[in-house]
Amino acid sequence: MEYTNANSCGLTQFIGTAAGDTIGLVIANIDPGLHERMGIDQRFRSLGIIGARTGAGAQIMAVDEAVKGTNTKVLSIELPRDTKSGGGHGNLILIGAQDVTDARQAVETALRLTDVNAGELYISEAGHMEFQFTARAGEAFHMAFGAPVDKAFGFLCVCPAAIGLVVADIAVKSAGVEIVSYATPTKGTSHSNEVVTTISGEAEAVKQAVLAARKAAMELLCTMGPAPESPGVPYLD
Amino acid sequence: MEYTNANSCGLTQFIGTAAGDTIGLVIANIDPGLHERMGIDQRFRSLGIIGARTGAGAQIMAVDEAVKGTNTKVLSIELPRDTKSGGGHGNLILIGAQDVTDARQAVETALRLTDVNAGELYISEAGHMEFQFTARAGEAFHMAFGAPVDKAFGFLCVCPAAIGLVVADIAVKSAGVEIVSYATPTKGTSHSNEVVTTISGEAEAVKQAVLAARKAAMELLCTMGPAPESPGVPYLD
Amino acid sequence: MEYTNANSCGLTQFIGTAAGDTIGLVIANIDPGLHERMGIDQRFRSLGIIGARTGAGAQIMAVDEAVKGTNTKVLSIELPRDTKSGGGHGNLILIGAQDVTDARQAVETALRLTDVNAGELYISEAGHMEFQFTARAGEAFHMAFGAPVDKAFGFLCVCPAAIGLVVADIAVKSAGVEIVSYATPTKGTSHSNEVVTTISGEAEAVKQAVLAARKAAMELLCTMGPAPESPGVPYLD
């Protein structure tokens, strides 16, 4: 039972890892009995799997983009209560395909995009904040939050929840944006210490609302501890 | 995006911080669309917000006292599964007011009292314990646990849950106290590893029951790790 | 309020501690009012208590064995969202007896067996994995997972959940095993970042399936961080 840390391994199921304690995996041909138990669409025997300890928006948006224009489908998005010792979520996202090559390609793309998106995840000892913006939401954001497909979409998440509420108010007061979803510790989260707000509208308006929320969240989190840092490179400006 | 840690910030929403990783905030005039989504009493457009990563009793009791005799009302109390890497709760408490001055004052008082109450929160690597006692429960304790208003009230919470059960038994065997609520990992908590018991009765009886529970919890937690320490100054003797 | 760390304490309720941040306790004669609130079988006034911050399988299997052929009964098994800063569960297990001596003996045995079983719990900074195997499941495994009593039974649990799904697929593809239960972050867990799968069947087949899952889980967890380590001595080979 001795192994050394390695970013590769001999199992054909392993695709790779990414920021946010993320792993990408495939199952070429899921066991029929297990498939039935899983309660997912039975037409897809090949599964792509994105799972992470830390974050939700980065990975969901990565999958949202990765499945566009491919022969794959988002089957389920589950958000465990995780972020390691933090107050937020991890994730388990299943992608269905009829061919393992398609599943594998979707996972590879999703891992690459997770590294990009994790640039807008910021973590400190006191809490965390995550912001995502896309000009065109797809099926993953629709499944997870009810995002209107093909419209600009913004994701705003802050721990502790108190700060998340204040920045939600700031964001939704921006002209030209609508609230898509609003989740708190007891409604719509897995008891995380977050307020998670999503918005839709004109692309530029949504982006400006996200940036205003990010600025306020950063200032408020800094009153509780050291400045939150990103595991990646911020992509929103 | 560079900020330094600071206990103040330029946002008018920021009031201050307190023990237990607590932050106090206000929203002078909540966005109407967000207000509707929140599912809280719509009469109060100004919100006071107390939120924390660590603890529940200290902040709830602080708000319980802070709103007494003011033009504010406790709107909601949510307990996320948090305490950073611990096995307990954080909190998100909303206070409603028709005037932002009232909301601000309630939050200021609640922050000050949270620092006092956190004296009866004790944390070690092995777990934590929190005890609170008031001679006269108000609307926050009533909302959170069904406490009889204006009667003496005790709050007992220990992680791991096993110890919490033993000290609950010790407390409720005291003469002159009644069980108000009893919560475990699957009933009444957000899947925390705690037993949370609340009691009511004659003031001196409730206080003695809380002290007996605290003594036993401290002894038992010490068998699992170093002696739990308080972020404040114990106030019960 | 000064105490030093000690593996003993003066309280008659204290029995001992074990691996996985486990404590064993007894209540000789539970308070009748509390007993009623707890919603457990009222015939047993003496309670044995096993509670832990870390793990579920090790302690459940320990109790499963400890109550066999004794005058005790498993009353409830609760799985808080814990494992300290990890992504899994802790536990609170109640054992009922009509005589405190029986309760005490069951807890003593369960603590001893928890130390043994924790050998198949492996933890790293990246996640954890736990595997258990018994040739003959008893009432605790039946209560927790619906295990067929007196049949061979295997428990497979991995965090993050993505890896847990892959190893579930590997295990259930083994000849001669049947799926008993399958749990994910949103179904059957307390929002943990785990897939927990249990299997039943011929003893040797179940054991081989567990070993195959363990091997794959170890390889996959090593792609995300250092090799997971056990707090005990692995017992499956």
Side-chain angles (χ1 to χ4, degrees):
Chain A
M1 293 296 288
E2 264 188 48
Y3 294 86
T4 50
N5 183 12
N7 248 61
S8 70
C9 83
L11 292 168
T12 56
Q13 292 97 329
F14 179 73
I15 305 295
T17 61
D21 309 298
T22 304
I23 189 167
L25 300 157
V26 289
I27 296 176
N29 198 11
I30 182 90
D31 177 82
L34 183 58
H35 204 184
E36 216 180 302
R37 287 274 179 152
M38 293 171 73
I40 51 173
D41 192 328
Q42 298 289 302
R43 289 173 299 168
F44 305 97
R45 299 298 302 276
S46 289
L47 297 184
I49 308 166
I50 291 288
R53 297 287 312 273
T54 302
Q59 292 88 354
I60 296 173
M61 188 156 93
V63 169
D64 194 76
E65 196 61 34
V67 300
K68 280 179 184 167
T70 69
N71 291 316
T72 60
K73 190 172 180 294
V74 184
L75 300 181
S76 67
I77 299 170
E78 298 187 55
L79 302 181
R81 173 67 190 79
D82 204 344
T83 52
K84 296 190 166 178
S85 59
H89 291 107
N91 56 76
L92 172 63
I93 307 175
L94 301 187
I95 300 165
Q98 266 149 356
D99 188 299
V100 68
T101 313
D102 292 331
R104 174 182 295 270
Q105 194 184 318
V107 170
E108 283 168 353
T109 305
L111 287 171
R112 187 169 46 77
L113 295 176
T114 295
D115 275 334
V116 175
N117 301 346
E120 293 298 344
L121 168 66
Y122 303 83
I123 303 174
S124 78
E125 181 269 332
H128 62 262
M129 52 188 250
E130 184 178 2
F131 299 94
Q132 302 294 342
F133 167 78
T134 176
R136 196 165 69 85
E139 59 177 294
F141 273 143
H142 179 72
M143 177 182 281
F145 305 106
V149 173
D150 289 336
K151 289 194 67 172
F153 181 76
F155 169 93
L156 309 90
C157 170
V158 190
C159 163
I163 298 178
L165 170 53
V166 165
V167 308
D169 181 63
I170 289 171
V172 303
K173 276 173 175 160
S174 306
V177 306
E178 278 173 37
I179 305 169
V180 173
S181 67
Y182 173 77
T184 69
T186 58
K187 281 184 271 185
T189 69
S190 300
H191 301 292
S192 74
N193 196 342
E194 299 172 318
V195 165
V196 183
T197 313
T198 63
I199 54 177
S200 176
E202 292 303 312
E204 194 54 29
V206 171
K207 190 175 169 186
Q208 290 310 318
V210 167
L211 289 173
R214 186 184 70 174
K215 184 171 184 299
M218 180 62 89
E219 287 195 45
L220 290 169
L221 268 174
C222 285
T223 66
M224 300 184 78
E229 289 178 11
S230 173
V233 179
Y235 72 86
L236 284 174
D237 269 309
Chain B
M1 295 294 289
E2 264 188 47
Y3 294 85
T4 50
N5 182 12
N7 247 60
S8 70
C9 84
L11 292 168
T12 55
Q13 291 96 331
F14 179 74
I15 305 296
T17 60
D21 310 297
T22 304
I23 189 167
L25 301 157
V26 290
I27 295 176
N29 198 11
I30 183 88
D31 176 82
L34 183 59
H35 205 185
E36 216 181 302
R37 287 273 179 153
M38 293 171 73
I40 50 174
D41 192 328
Q42 298 289 301
R43 288 173 299 168
F44 305 97
R45 299 299 301 277
S46 289
L47 297 184
I49 307 166
I50 291 288
R53 297 287 311 274
T54 301
Q59 292 87 355
I60 296 172
M61 188 157 92
V63 170
D64 194 76
E65 196 61 34
V67 301
K68 280 180 184 168
T70 69
N71 291 316
T72 60
K73 190 173 179 295
V74 184
L75 300 180
S76 66
I77 299 171
E78 300 187 55
L79 302 181
R81 174 66 189 79
D82 205 344
T83 52
K84 296 191 167 176
S85 59
H89 291 106
N91 56 75
L92 172 63
I93 307 175
L94 302 186
I95 300 165
Q98 266 149 357
D99 188 299
V100 67
T101 313
D102 292 330
R104 173 181 296 271
Q105 194 183 318
V107 170
E108 283 169 352
T109 306
L111 287 171
R112 185 169 48 75
L113 294 177
T114 294
D115 276 335
V116 175
N117 301 344
E120 293 298 344
L121 169 65
Y122 303 82
I123 304 174
S124 78
E125 182 269 332
H128 61 261
M129 52 189 249
E130 184 177 1
F131 299 93
Q132 302 295 343
F133 166 78
T134 175
R136 195 165 69 86
E139 58 179 293
F141 273 143
H142 179 71
M143 177 181 283
F145 306 105
V149 173
D150 289 336
K151 288 194 68 172
F153 181 76
F155 168 92
L156 309 90
C157 170
V158 189
C159 164
I163 298 178
L165 169 52
V166 165
V167 307
D169 180 64
I170 290 171
V172 303
K173 277 173 174 159
S174 306
V177 306
E178 277 173 38
I179 305 169
V180 173
S181 67
Y182 173 77
T184 68
T186 58
K187 281 183 273 185
T189 69
S190 299
H191 301 292
S192 73
N193 196 343
E194 298 172 318
V195 164
V196 183
T197 312
T198 63
I199 55 177
S200 176
E202 291 304 311
E204 194 54 29
V206 171
K207 190 175 169 185
Q208 291 309 319
V210 167
L211 289 173
R214 186 183 72 175
K215 184 170 184 300
M218 180 62 89
E219 286 195 46
L220 290 169
L221 269 173
C222 284
T223 67
M224 300 185 77
E229 289 178 11
S230 173
V233 180
Y235 73 86
L236 284 174
D237 269 307
Chain C
M1 294 295 287
E2 263 188 49
Y3 293 86
T4 50
N5 183 11
N7 248 60
S8 70
C9 83
L11 292 168
T12 56
Q13 292 97 330
F14 179 73
I15 306 295
T17 61
D21 309 297
T22 305
I23 190 166
L25 300 157
V26 290
I27 296 176
N29 198 10
I30 184 88
D31 177 83
L34 183 58
H35 205 185
E36 214 180 303
R37 286 275 179 154
M38 294 171 73
I40 51 172
D41 192 328
Q42 298 290 301
R43 288 173 299 169
F44 305 96
R45 299 298 302 276
S46 289
L47 297 183
I49 308 167
I50 291 288
R53 296 288 311 273
T54 301
Q59 292 87 353
I60 296 173
M61 188 158 91
V63 170
D64 194 76
E65 196 60 34
V67 300
K68 280 179 185 167
T70 69
N71 289 318
T72 60
K73 191 173 180 293
V74 184
L75 299 181
S76 66
I77 299 171
E78 299 187 54
L79 302 181
R81 173 67 190 79
D82 205 344
T83 52
K84 296 190 166 177
S85 59
H89 291 106
N91 55 76
L92 172 63
I93 307 175
L94 302 186
I95 300 165
Q98 267 150 354
D99 188 299
V100 68
T101 313
D102 293 330
R104 173 181 296 269
Q105 192 184 319
V107 170
E108 282 169 353
T109 306
L111 287 171
R112 187 169 47 78
L113 294 176
T114 294
D115 275 335
V116 175
N117 301 345
E120 292 299 342
L121 168 66
Y122 303 83
I123 304 173
S124 79
E125 181 270 330
H128 61 261
M129 51 189 249
E130 185 178 1
F131 300 94
Q132 301 295 343
F133 167 78
T134 175
R136 197 164 69 86
E139 59 177 294
F141 273 142
H142 179 72
M143 177 181 281
F145 305 106
V149 173
D150 288 335
K151 289 194 67 173
F153 181 76
F155 169 92
L156 308 90
C157 170
V158 189
C159 163
I163 297 178
L165 170 53
V166 166
V167 308
D169 181 63
I170 289 171
V172 303
K173 277 174 175 159
S174 305
V177 306
E178 278 173 37
I179 306 169
V180 173
S181 67
Y182 173 77
T184 69
T186 58
K187 281 184 272 184
T189 68
S190 300
H191 302 292
S192 74
N193 196 343
E194 299 172 317
V195 165
V196 183
T197 313
T198 62
I199 54 177
S200 176
E202 291 303 311
E204 194 54 29
V206 171
K207 190 176 168 185
Q208 291 309 318
V210 167
L211 288 173
R214 186 183 71 175
K215 186 170 183 299
M218 180 62 88
E219 286 195 45
L220 291 169
L221 268 174
C222 284
T223 67
M224 300 184 78
E229 290 178 10
S230 173
V233 180
Y235 73 85
L236 284 174
D237 269 308

